[in-house]
Amino acid sequence: MKITKIMELLNAECLVGENLLDMEVDQAFGCDLMSDVLAFINGKTLLLTGLTNLQVIRTAEMTDINTVVFVRGKKPVKEAIELAKKNNMILLSTNHILYTACGILYANGLKGIPSRGGA
């Protein structure tokens, strides 16, 4: 799904990466635990989170995530925005809560990461 479509569906604001909005993601993952992001994600995955600290961008960088959506209208700290710019990432912000944002994207065809079973 193109990032422009995600922005439209979530009524999201682009914080960083306006020149990259034609990019696409294959799947999405909603989470506030960066250890889970490291364990389950790589590649063209959209990360939705309520965390706004620098660790989110560092985790995205390590897992090749290029787009992060901050939910509940949150915006990342200045250092996170600067690091995202440096790494050519897209940062979006939506007023939806995590559950609703994930549901909207799923209902419109963007699937979550494949289940690995277990806990």
Side-chain angles (χ1 to χ4, degrees), residues 9-102:
L9 291 169
L10 297 179
N11 194 25
E13 170 189 3
C14 182
L15 305 172
V16 172
E18 294 87 356
N19 60 325
L20 304 170
L21 298 178
D22 281 340
M23 294 180 74
E24 292 195 30
V25 293
D26 297 331
Q27 56 192 5
F29 189 71
C31 183
D32 285 342
L33 292 173
M34 293 301 107
S35 59
D36 279 358
V37 174
L38 289 170
F40 295 107
I41 295 181
N42 61 42
K44 294 174 123 184
T45 303
L46 175 74
L47 174 62
L48 298 103
T49 185
L51 294 179
T52 59
N53 59 31
L54 194 57
Q55 186 64 28
V56 173
I57 305 304
R58 295 237 183 257
T59 302
E61 180 183 20
M62 291 175 63
T63 53
D64 294 328
I65 293 172
N66 69 350
T67 307
V68 179
V69 177
F70 297 97
V71 296
R72 300 189 312 271
K74 291 185 168 190
K75 297 190 174 147
V77 297
K78 181 180 175 184
E79 294 82 11
I81 290 174
E82 293 304 317
L83 184 60
K85 284 180 186 174
K86 185 177 175 182
N87 286 289
N88 293 318
M89 291 181 181
I90 301 166
L91 302 183
L92 306 176
S93 178
T94 181
N95 287 329
H96 292 292
I97 63 169
L98 181 60
Y99 182 81
T100 302
C102 291

Side-chain angles (χ1 to χ4, degrees), residues 104-118:
I104 289 169
L105 296 176
Y106 187 84
N108 282 278
L110 184 60
K111 303 297 182 206
I113 64 167
S115 174
R116 292 184 180 174

